[in-house]
Amino acid sequence: MTDISHFLDELQLDDDDEQPLPSLSWPPVAALLPELRRRLLARAPDPILPAERVGRLFRAAHPHWLLGSRQEAAYVSVVCALIGRAALPPRERSVADVAAALRALLAKLQAAGPERGAGALTLAVAPHVCVFAVTHTQEGAGTSPAWTQASGGLRSQLLAAGGWRDSAHMLTGGGPEDQPGILEAVLDVLRPGLGREARQRCEQAEQAEQADSAFSWTLLQVRRPFLAPLLPRLLGPALLLCDHHEAHKCMLGIRCLHHIVNNTAASELRALRRAEVMYEGLSKRLHHSDADVIQLALACMLDLLAVLESPPSAATPPPAAAPPPAAAPFPVPRRHDDVLRLLLVRMEAEHKVALRRVYAQALPAYLQRMGVRACRHLAGLSRVVPAYLEVSDAPEELTRMWTLQALQQMLTGAWPRLAYSVSMWLACLLRLLVDVWSEPRPRPDVARQLSRRVARCLGLLDAAAHHRLQHALEQVDASCCAPEVASLLATVTTATDKSPSHWT
């Protein structure tokens, strides 16, 4: 031990000294690694052995000396101790020095090649290096440009040392050479910081931020069919993130849940009521006040509903020969109906432009999924759609664009129930046309796009009214409208004699 301490104390390596030194001048690696770990874990920062000096040591060491004996556990302990030094001040220099030292070690393992056992050693240290690199390259984890650059280079070196194509291949393995992955080992490294109890006792918010960032990055790299076997380990932390009170953490959780839905078989999600648990967690997010959270939650919910139940638009009616029931039962509530009903209630009470835009963007997809069963919600739609068409959100008029798209979906799917409300919808569309071409006008391209969508809705409305719309349009006094409105109405009047397919 005295010789090793003397070796470390007297070790003087210049930055330009990159040539491997003769192995005979170095102490055995099996004896040096424990002393390295002890000094790196010392309570007081060791002025003799900073992270920069460890990096120089790895760069100067001969690959044969590094792999002198099977020391995977000892190397892992040294790597963990080295990563721990990144938390010491000055932080920016510490992170860069630690990343440089780890890159030097991985470069020597890559140079040694798998035939000398470097492959097993790379797999042993890779999970810890991966978590460290990802933690300092993700946005929102207290990173800086210097950290991002250093950690990005470290991740590239890790992929090269392990022979992996990309990050997903590194985690899941496989491929022509059937390379092993490190996904389960990475989850083992992350597990202590992901539980509810760990979050509550975490002394520094930055530590929790880094753990959440690394977990979300890891999950989003994994796709079919590798995700399903680890679903029990992934779903819990994702739900905890989704339930976080901070908006950006909540958004991370929703993205993770959406990724799970898109990359897991429906049967796996329905097993053990996992999909129901996800539905309950997402339902709470639909009451959030942040527009970005609502947008992600509505998109995830739409895909999750397809897992929980068959699309309402795909429901088949009973055969014509079947006898009618004695009394028509009240339709059983469906989750699609529950979500659409909540969406309409939220839309009707919302006055913030950002949230109205998010709701209007999500509505067409839900109406398309509902099909003819959107008839159940005509009362709410007849209040929400006209109200959203009346209010401008210039200059893009996105709320009106998406609301017209929602109306088009409603006219396409629920047309059998709209024959008795043609006059109401006709007046709504005509008011919108007049408003668009009145002063102050939106941009010409926006006005033309709105007019085209209104024309499509008028054509579908005419089909729902069994082509009785022409007489009502001919009664519009063109002298009271802008020339563009009169020209459009004349075009619509001529086109109403054509087949309804002209408008679809």
Side-chain angles (χ1 to χ4, degrees):
M1 182 65 66
T2 303
D3 294 338
I4 295 175
S5 299
H6 179 72
F7 169 78
L8 292 175
D9 293 342
E10 297 297 328
L11 182 63
Q12 296 294 333
L13 298 172
D14 297 330
D15 292 332
D16 297 332
D17 189 4
E18 303 292 342
Q19 298 298 323
L21 300 182
S23 58
L24 294 178
S25 64
W26 292 65
V29 66
L32 180 62
L33 291 177
E35 180 65 13
L36 277 178
R37 178 181 180 275
R38 185 188 69 81
R39 294 202 175 196
L40 289 171
L41 292 177
R43 184 177 299 273
D46 191 343
I48 303 299
L49 194 69
E52 181 184 8
R53 180 63 59 80
V54 177
R56 294 178 183 177
L57 186 149
F58 285 145
R59 285 195 296 273
H62 197 284
H64 295 173
W65 176 84
L66 286 173
L67 302 172
S69 59
R70 299 297 297 271
Q71 297 290 328
E72 285 87 356
Y75 271 108
V76 169
S77 64
V78 170
V79 167
C80 293
L82 190 60
I83 291 173
R85 294 297 290 265
L88 298 177
R91 285 292 307 280
E92 185 164 336
R93 180 176 177 181
S94 297
V95 172
D97 289 344
V98 169
L102 295 175
R103 286 184 63 184
L105 175 60
L106 292 171
K108 285 301 171 70
L109 294 179
Q110 180 184 1
E115 63 277 359
R116 295 186 176 275
L121 182 54
T122 302
L123 285 176
V125 302
H128 303 275
V129 177
C130 176
V131 171
F132 173 78
V134 169
T135 295
H136 295 95
T137 54
Q138 298 300 298
E139 295 182 1
T143 59
S144 71
W147 300 1
T148 302
Q149 182 179 2
S151 301
L154 175 60
R155 187 161 53 178
S156 300
Q157 182 62 65
L158 177 60
L159 294 177
W164 294 298
R165 297 187 305 271
D166 49 31
S167 298
H169 187 215
M170 175 181 63
L171 292 172
T172 59
E177 300 179 1
D178 196 21
Q179 292 175 283
I182 61 171
L183 176 58
E184 292 194 57
V186 168
L187 293 178
D188 290 337
V189 174
L190 293 173
R191 180 173 54 185
L194 296 177
R196 189 182 299 273
E197 295 79 7
R199 296 175 185 274
Q200 293 175 351
R201 66 172 180 265
C202 186
E203 298 180 357
Q204 296 183 6
E206 184 180 346
Q207 296 176 0
E209 182 83 19
Q210 292 174 350
D212 294 336
S213 177
F215 169 78
S216 62
W217 178 89
T218 302
L219 173 58
L220 295 177
Q221 302 297 315
V222 184
R223 300 186 180 275
R224 293 176 185 258
F226 305 100
L227 194 146
L230 293 174
L231 192 57
R233 301 185 62 180
L234 298 173
L235 186 56
L239 287 169
L240 281 177
L241 266 179
C242 181
D243 198 37
H244 204 279
H245 65 279
E246 296 181 10
H248 72 283
K249 291 284 192 72
C250 181
M251 291 167 62
L252 273 181
I254 296 174
R255 289 192 183 100
C256 290
L257 291 181
H258 203 173
H259 185 80
I260 290 174
V261 172
N262 290 335
N263 289 274
T264 308
S267 58
E268 291 283 350
L269 292 176
R270 287 192 290 264
L272 303 178
R273 302 187 72 251
R274 293 177 181 130
E276 284 82 353
V277 174
M278 297 170 68
Y279 175 80
E280 294 298 329
L282 275 177
S283 297
K284 300 175 184 178
R285 300 305 101 199
L286 296 180
H287 297 274
H288 208 280
S289 59
D290 188 275
D292 294 331
V293 173
I294 293 289
Q295 185 175 21
L296 292 176
L298 286 171
C300 182
M301 180 65 81
L302 186 66
D303 290 337
L304 181 60
L305 288 173
V307 173
L308 287 167
E309 58 190 27
S310 59
S313 58
T316 57
F330 189 82
V332 178
R334 301 170 64 94
R335 292 185 179 90
H336 279 89
D337 293 296
D338 294 339
V339 175
L340 181 56
R341 188 178 301 110
L342 175 62
L343 176 59
L344 292 175
V345 170
R346 299 283 297 183
M347 291 181 72
E348 188 174 2
E350 188 55 59
H351 297 286
K352 296 179 181 178
V353 174
L355 279 172
R356 288 168 66 95
R357 191 174 295 165
V358 167
Y359 289 137
Q361 184 180 11
L363 185 58
Y366 278 88
L367 291 177
Q368 183 180 20
R369 177 75 62 81
M370 294 295 295
V372 70
R373 292 180 184 265
C375 294
R376 299 175 177 178
H377 306 275
L378 283 181
L381 288 167
S382 63
R383 294 190 301 269
V384 168
V385 173
Y388 273 55
L389 291 178
E390 288 178 1
V391 180
S392 171
D393 63 337
E396 300 295 337
E397 297 287 2
L398 294 177
T399 300
R400 281 174 162 173
M401 295 286 188
W402 287 317
T403 304
L404 284 172
Q405 186 178 349
L407 178 58
Q408 184 177 345
Q409 291 293 339
M410 184 178 67
L411 292 169
T412 303
W415 63 268
R417 291 286 301 274
L418 296 177
Y420 301 100
S421 57
V422 170
S423 58
M424 188 265 297
W425 293 112
L426 176 59
C428 174
L429 292 171
L430 291 178
R431 281 196 301 269
L432 175 60
L433 271 180
V434 173
D435 187 29
V436 167
W437 293 104
S438 301
E439 298 295 341
R441 297 181 181 181
R443 295 200 319 258
D445 59 325
V446 174
R448 287 192 294 270
Q449 189 174 359
L450 282 172
S451 299
R452 285 194 296 267
R453 297 198 179 197
V454 170
R456 285 196 291 268
C457 290
L458 287 173
L460 292 170
L461 189 62
D462 178 66
H466 306 289
H467 305 287
R468 295 194 298 267
L469 199 64
Q470 183 176 5
H471 178 67
L473 290 175
E474 289 174 348
Q475 294 179 346
V476 176
D477 188 356
S479 63
C480 300
C481 305
E484 294 84 358
V485 176
S487 175
L488 177 66
L489 291 180
T491 305
V492 172
T493 303
T494 304
T496 50
D497 295 330
K498 299 182 180 180
S499 170
S501 61
H502 171 78
W503 298 99
T504 58

